[in-house]
């Protein structure tokens, strides 16, 4: 397969996988909020990020140990498809929350493994650009999922939407069959016992085997990602019902507004990938964390803007700020992790980042949803912005640059 065909295939799989994920999350949040409360809608997000938190390191470690990354991608795609099926039979709030969590447990295997494949295609000098291409496809999928979710909520039944999620997930899984894996493979096959022992060692490393977690302040990156995502993922878990019931927009308009986030990322991701290869990783991470705090405050202030076209423009700008900040944080952070990763452990460390996101995603939706239920959406969003400020301070002080843009060399702690 030529390199061009490889990127098209991986891009299609990525686009459709995350289209299905965001379509599912947005629709279920709106449905559950209407049937129960903002807190219940937050629990849909909590279930999703619990799945990511618990299973991302496992899938990443499994892929590194066995070298069968494409198999991991296909198996997790089939699992995600099966996770949608209960919704077609019993469309109750508990089933919705459980199905979302199981879907996430399989989706958790996609990002860390596919990112490792994408990173190896770019090599050291083109790593930022390759990660940017991958994340552009992911962001495009998110944007498409948001727009489609708004349209489907307005015109079709929930069961029809569940069939659409299943179909999109199936397309992604089929596309993965044609993806090639350029990453190194182990010299020999491992037994089931060796696989279990090595997975346990990687997920729960002994004190003497944790040095790589502190290279150039890597552990502080994980801490900051957790704090930032408590804030932003908490907000995003209930943003759809907030836009409809508080800001006062129609379902389709809600989807379009949310699409400005990931739609803008498709350009930001690629451009910032090039910037990362020229200027380094840390500046992007710091700017991304700070921009997340700004987004939270803008979201809280949406109802202060007069209704009508001005509020819609302000809303679109709010999500463009989120798109830019997320892109900067993601490109800088992923390239940073790739730079410091020991050979054969990149998927593992990518998976730990997903776990850090998952911790934020478990705590954030429930916490922000609870504050919104007890007080107001605006107060919850403003309070969340403080955590993003703390995350900014953590990376500004804790990270040490890993990449010299002038020489094209990675510089990491021994």
């Amino acid at each position: 397969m030529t390199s061009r065909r490889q990127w098209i295939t991986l891009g299609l799989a990525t686009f459709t996988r995350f289209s299905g994920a965001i379509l599912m999350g947005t629709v279920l949040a709106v449905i559950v909020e209407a049937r129960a409360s903002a807190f219940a809608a937050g629990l849909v997000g909590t279930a999703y990020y619990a799945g990511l938190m618990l299973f991302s390191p496992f899938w990443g470690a499994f892929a590194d140990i066995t070298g069968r990354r494409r198999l991991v991608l296909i198996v997790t795609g089939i699992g995600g498809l099966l996770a949608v099926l209960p919704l077609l039979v019993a469309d109750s709030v508990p089933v919705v929350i459980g199905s979302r969590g199981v879907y996430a447990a399989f989706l958790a295997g996609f990002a860390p493994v596919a990112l490792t494949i994408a990173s190896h295609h770019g090599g050291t000098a083109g790593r930022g650009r390759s990660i940017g291409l991958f994340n552009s496809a992911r962001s495009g999928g998110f944007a498409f999922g948001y727009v489609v979710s708004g349209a489907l909520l307005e015109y079709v039944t929930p069961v029809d939407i569940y069939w659409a999620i299943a179909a999109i997930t199936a397309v992604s899984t089929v596309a993965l069959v044609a993806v090639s894996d350029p990453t190194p493979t182990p010299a020999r096959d491992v037994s089931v016992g060796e696989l279990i022992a090595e997975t346990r060692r990687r997920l729960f490393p002994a004190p003497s085997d944790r040095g790589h977690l502190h290279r150039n302040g890597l552990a502080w990156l994980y801490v900051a990602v957790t704090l930032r995502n408590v804030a932003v993922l908490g907000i995003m878990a209930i943003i759809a019902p907030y836009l409809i019931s508080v800001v006062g927009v129609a379902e389709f308009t809600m989807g379009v507004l949310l699409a400005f986030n990931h739609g803008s990322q498709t350009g930001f991701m690629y451009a910032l990938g090039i910037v990362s290869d020229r200027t380094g990783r840390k500046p992007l991470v710091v700017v991304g964390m700070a921009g997340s705090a700004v987004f939270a405050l803008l979201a809280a202030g949406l109802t202060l803007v007069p209704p009508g076209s001005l509020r819609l423009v302000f809303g679109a700008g709010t999500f463009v700020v989120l798109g830019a900040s997320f892109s900067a944080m993601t490109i800088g952070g992923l390239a940073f992790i790739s730079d410091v990763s020991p050979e054969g452990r990149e998927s593992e460390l990518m998976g730990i980042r997903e776990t850090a996101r998952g911790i934020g995603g478990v705590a954030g939706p429930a916490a922000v949803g609870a504050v919104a239920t007890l007080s107001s959406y605006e107060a919850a969003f403003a309070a969340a912005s403080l955590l993003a400020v703390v995350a900014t301070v953590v990376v500004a002080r804790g990270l040490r640059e890993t990449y010299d843009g002038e020489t094209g060399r990675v510089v990491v702690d021994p």
Side-chain angles (χ1 to χ4, degrees):
M1 178 181 290
T2 66
S3 178
R4 181 181 177 84
R5 288 180 60 199
Q6 176 64 41
W7 279 114
I8 292 174
T9 304
L10 183 58
L12 174 62
T14 302
F15 180 91
T16 49
R17 180 64 58 90
F18 288 102
S19 292
I22 207 64
L23 172 59
M24 186 181 193
T26 305
V27 167
L28 295 185
V30 172
I31 291 172
V32 170
E33 197 265 356
R35 294 176 181 176
S37 66
F39 175 70
L43 291 181
V44 175
T46 293
Y48 175 75
Y49 288 104
L52 292 183
M53 177 184 69
L54 295 173
F55 286 90
S56 286
F58 166 76
W59 291 119
F62 181 88
D64 284 340
I65 296 166
T66 63
R68 298 177 179 178
R69 291 181 173 83
R70 186 174 68 167
L71 177 63
V72 169
L73 296 177
I74 294 172
V75 167
T76 55
I78 294 172
L81 177 61
L82 295 176
V84 180
L85 300 184
L87 295 173
L88 302 172
V89 179
D91 185 16
S92 65
V93 171
V95 171
V96 164
I97 294 173
S99 179
R100 184 62 169 155
V102 174
Y103 188 92
F106 288 104
L107 180 68
F110 188 87
V113 177
L115 270 169
T116 300
I117 292 175
S119 176
H120 276 265
H121 274 295
T124 300
R127 181 169 292 147
R129 178 177 177 273
S130 295
I131 292 174
L133 285 170
F134 173 86
N135 280 288
S136 290
R138 176 159 68 172
S139 298
F142 278 144
F144 178 78
Y146 276 131
V147 173
V148 171
S149 68
L152 293 181
L153 279 168
E154 195 159 349
Y155 296 113
V156 304
T157 68
V159 172
D160 294 327
I161 299 175
Y162 303 151
W163 278 113
I165 296 167
I168 294 172
T169 305
V171 170
S172 173
T173 305
V174 172
L176 289 167
V177 175
V179 171
S180 64
D181 178 12
T183 59
T185 56
R188 65 179 182 87
D189 292 335
V190 296
S191 67
V192 174
E194 290 174 322
L195 176 62
I196 294 173
E198 179 64 10
T199 300
R200 184 186 300 115
R201 183 186 70 80
R202 290 183 178 218
L203 298 183
F204 306 101
S208 60
D209 192 29
R210 299 175 187 170
H212 61 287
L213 297 176
H214 299 283
R215 280 184 173 180
N216 294 71
L218 174 60
W220 289 116
L221 176 62
Y222 293 141
V223 170
V225 167
T226 300
L227 292 172
R228 181 265 181 193
N229 283 299
V230 170
V232 174
L233 297 181
I235 293 172
M236 293 304 292
I238 58 174
I239 196 72
Y242 167 67
L243 291 174
I244 294 170
S245 62
V246 179
V247 178
V249 302
E251 286 88 347
F252 179 74
T253 305
M254 174 273 296
V256 172
L257 285 177
L258 291 176
F260 274 94
N261 170 22
H262 294 288
S264 64
Q265 286 178 29
T266 59
F268 284 127
M269 287 288 186
Y270 182 76
L272 292 175
I274 297 174
V275 171
S276 173
D277 289 334
R278 293 178 179 176
T279 65
R281 323 305 194 191
K282 179 178 176 178
L284 292 179
V285 177
V286 174
V287 169
M289 296 291 179
S292 298
V294 173
F295 157 74
L297 292 174
L298 292 175
L302 266 175
T303 54
L304 299 177
V305 181
S309 58
L310 182 60
R311 180 176 288 186
L312 294 178
V313 171
F314 188 86
T318 296
F319 291 108
V320 170
V321 169
L322 177 60
S325 62
F326 177 80
S327 298
M329 179 196 70
T330 300
I331 293 298
L334 293 177
F336 185 98
I337 292 170
S338 291
D339 289 342
V340 302
S341 296
E343 183 177 352
R345 303 190 74 165
E346 188 172 342
S347 291
E348 173 192 347
L349 295 188
M350 293 288 190
I352 293 175
R353 175 186 174 274
E354 292 300 310
T355 294
R357 292 182 69 243
I359 294 172
V362 168
V368 176
V371 174
T373 300
L374 296 173
S375 178
S376 68
Y377 282 92
E378 295 91 337
F381 296 172
S385 70
L386 298 176
L387 289 175
V389 171
V390 175
T392 304
V393 174
V394 168
V395 291
R397 294 178 61 87
L399 298 191
R400 297 181 294 280
E401 182 57 68
T402 60
Y403 185 77
D404 186 338
E406 293 185 1
T407 63
R409 294 179 56 199
V410 171
V411 182
V412 299
D413 298 339

